[in-house]
Amino acid sequence: MTKTRKKALLLAASALSVTGTLGFAQDAQTQAELDALRARVEALESGKSSPANGDFRIGNTVLDVYGYVKADFFYDFDFDQGDTAFVNVIGEPSAATDGTFGATIRQSRIGLRTTTPSGIGDIGGQLELDLFGSGGTAELRVRHANITIGDNWLIGQTWTNFMPLDTYPTSVEFNGPVGIPFARVPQVRYTNSFGTNTSFAVSIEENVSGSNSDDPVLTASAEYNDGTYVARVSGLYGKAQSGNVEVDQTGFTISGSVRPWQGGLFQVNYVNGEALGPYLIGLGDPIVNGLANDVDGYTIEFRQYLSPKWNVGIAYGKEDYDLPTSTGTLSFTELETIHVNAFYKATEDLTLSSEYIYGERNDAPTGRTFDGSRVQLAAQLNF
């Protein structure tokens, strides 16, 4: 049942209650109020509560409040990976455990979108916050804060244009599989289209913090998406710095997905470049011993919708670096993850989910490998 439908039914119930209570009152004011209430119900039923169906309006600006409350419960069997399941801590003696239970609500978030008509097109605004403001505690953090002008311009913070957002694997835990870019950065982006299903975008962005560079990053992307097939490429150029050493930071992604049958989804992402570690889930060092650290990574996901309420999926990810990144007592060049999950849509807004995560990393100097497992359950209420 949609939120609009719920509002309409509540208003209808109120109307019936008022009608019953005032059944013998025939004054014109009461009748006018009832007529107005019925008109409001009809507007809600037809989805015409406002031109943009927002939550409320201030002047000619429509505002839409959105977000979700999410509670995650997890159990790490071998190594304590924290509430965001960082596979690169697997193997570290400080993370070793005989079993650790944890819970977090830090994925919960709230956002506000605004739309204001203007002579240069609709002016949009977005401000979204989650609770990852500091390590281990639930404090507010800005995820998105941006302005859009018409269909072409975006100014502010959102996902990097380098990231293949439309083919990002679905997971219960926060990060998802290794082997894919994941970053939100301040930027100025221009987007346009070649036709109905093909778009391109170029941007000037701030670099991610792990690159330690004050130079801007240039990105470009092109995507075809007709609802059944998705094909996307992107490129990035910037700088990375470590001490007095500065290197070029370059990379590209190739992504694609297909819906081969009813409810099925298969998608892949590939990334390759130099000094790109800070953009990836594994957070490999961009520079090691004065040299740019080359990396390639990929993800593969298959998902099947079993019914309108159930879907299940499996995703594999890998990152492979030329040079080792230290995590304390160990140094990795390879990271791998497997996510197996199921989602149940209990109501239109409430989703229950479960996930098994397997992670593996190596220790490059010794040639040893270490692995760890996690089980995670979650409940998410959208609004």
Side-chain angles (χ1 to χ4, degrees):
M1 182 181 294
T2 64
K3 292 181 180 178
T4 298
R5 179 69 175 170
K6 291 176 185 174
K7 292 178 183 177
L9 290 176
L10 288 172
L11 285 170
S14 300
L16 291 173
S17 175
V18 172
T19 304
T21 303
L22 302 179
F24 298 101
Q26 301 297 325
D27 60 279
Q29 181 179 2
T30 299
Q31 189 59 49
E33 290 172 353
L34 291 174
D35 289 343
L37 187 56
R38 292 189 184 100
R40 174 63 173 161
V41 170
E42 292 173 359
L44 285 168
E45 288 279 11
S46 62
K48 297 178 181 178
S49 57
S50 73
N53 289 322
D55 288 343
F56 53 95
R57 175 187 291 275
I58 300 177
N60 65 341
T61 297
V62 175
L63 298 94
D64 179 30
V65 178
Y66 67 94
Y68 60 74
V69 177
K70 187 167 186 266
D72 289 273
F73 305 88
F74 51 88
Y75 188 87
D76 287 322
F77 289 94
D78 307 289
F79 296 93
D80 185 352
Q81 300 178 50
D83 62 3
T84 53
F86 272 113
V87 66
N88 52 15
V89 304
I90 290 175
E92 286 293 340
S94 61
T97 179
D98 292 328
T100 300
F101 171 80
T104 183
I105 48 82
R106 294 207 294 165
Q107 283 194 47
S108 302
R109 63 197 57 170
I110 186 169
L112 174 67
R113 291 190 182 95
T114 68
T115 304
T116 307
S118 79
I120 58 174
D122 286 349
I123 307 298
Q126 181 187 26
L127 178 63
E128 181 179 308
L129 310 172
D130 66 15
L131 298 174
F132 281 100
S134 64
T137 60
E139 296 182 10
L140 288 174
R141 176 187 68 169
V142 175
R143 288 171 53 84
H144 301 278
N146 57 71
I147 300 165
T148 55
I149 303 173
D151 296 326
N152 303 117
W153 290 97
L154 181 145
I155 305 168
Q157 178 166 301
T158 191
W159 300 110
T160 172
N161 186 40
F162 186 58
M163 176 179 173
L165 190 60
D166 288 342
T167 53
Y168 201 95
T170 300
S171 66
V172 178
E173 62 93 10
F174 183 75
N175 286 323
V178 299
I180 191 169
F182 181 89
R184 292 177 297 271
V185 291
Q187 61 190 270
V188 177
R189 184 189 302 186
Y190 176 78
T191 302
N192 213 323
S193 61
F194 296 119
T196 305
N197 299 318
T198 306
S199 63
F200 70 91
V202 294
S203 66
I204 300 176
E205 303 180 358
E206 182 182 54
N207 209 323
V208 294
S209 59
S211 299
N212 299 315
S213 174
D214 295 328
D215 291 336
V217 172
L218 306 178
T219 79
S221 68
E223 179 172 325
Y224 173 84
N225 188 339
D226 66 4
T228 300
Y229 299 96
V230 175
R232 187 182 193 272
V233 295
S234 68
L236 173 148
Y237 176 78
K239 297 286 186 179
Q241 189 165 345
S242 176
N244 295 323
V245 177
E246 185 179 69
V247 300
D248 288 337
Q249 185 179 58
T250 62
F252 67 89
T253 69
I254 302 174
S255 306
S257 74
V258 60
R259 298 183 182 274
W261 52 75
Q262 182 67 33
L265 173 66
F266 179 75
Q267 53 190 21
V268 297
N269 298 282
Y270 176 75
V271 59
N272 181 281
E274 56 181 354
L276 275 182
Y279 276 90
L280 305 186
I281 293 293
L283 298 177
D285 287 340
I287 301 172
V288 178
N289 297 326
L291 301 174
N293 194 4
D294 294 352
V295 61
D296 65 350
Y298 62 91
T299 66
I300 302 172
E301 181 187 24
F302 173 72
R303 183 159 301 279
Q304 179 65 48
Y305 286 80
L306 305 176
S307 72
K309 288 184 174 291
W310 280 98
N311 74 85
V312 296
I314 181 170
Y316 173 79
K318 184 174 183 179
E319 293 178 21
D320 192 352
Y321 294 85
D322 281 0
L323 303 171
T325 293
S326 174
T327 56
T329 61
L330 307 175
S331 298
F332 71 83
T333 55
E334 296 180 4
L335 301 171
E336 295 179 79
T337 56
I338 299 173
H339 290 65
V340 181
N341 49 50
F343 295 83
Y344 173 67
K345 196 170 184 180
T347 70
E348 181 180 354
D349 299 313
L350 176 63
T351 299
L352 307 177
S353 56
S354 61
E355 185 167 67
Y356 170 76
I357 309 167
Y358 173 83
E360 184 175 298
R361 56 84 56 88
N362 73 332
D363 179 46
T366 65
R368 293 179 297 169
T369 60
F370 301 86
D371 59 73
S373 297
R374 162 178 287 194
V375 172
Q376 186 155 333
L377 304 174
Q380 178 175 316
L381 179 64
N382 296 336
F383 57 85

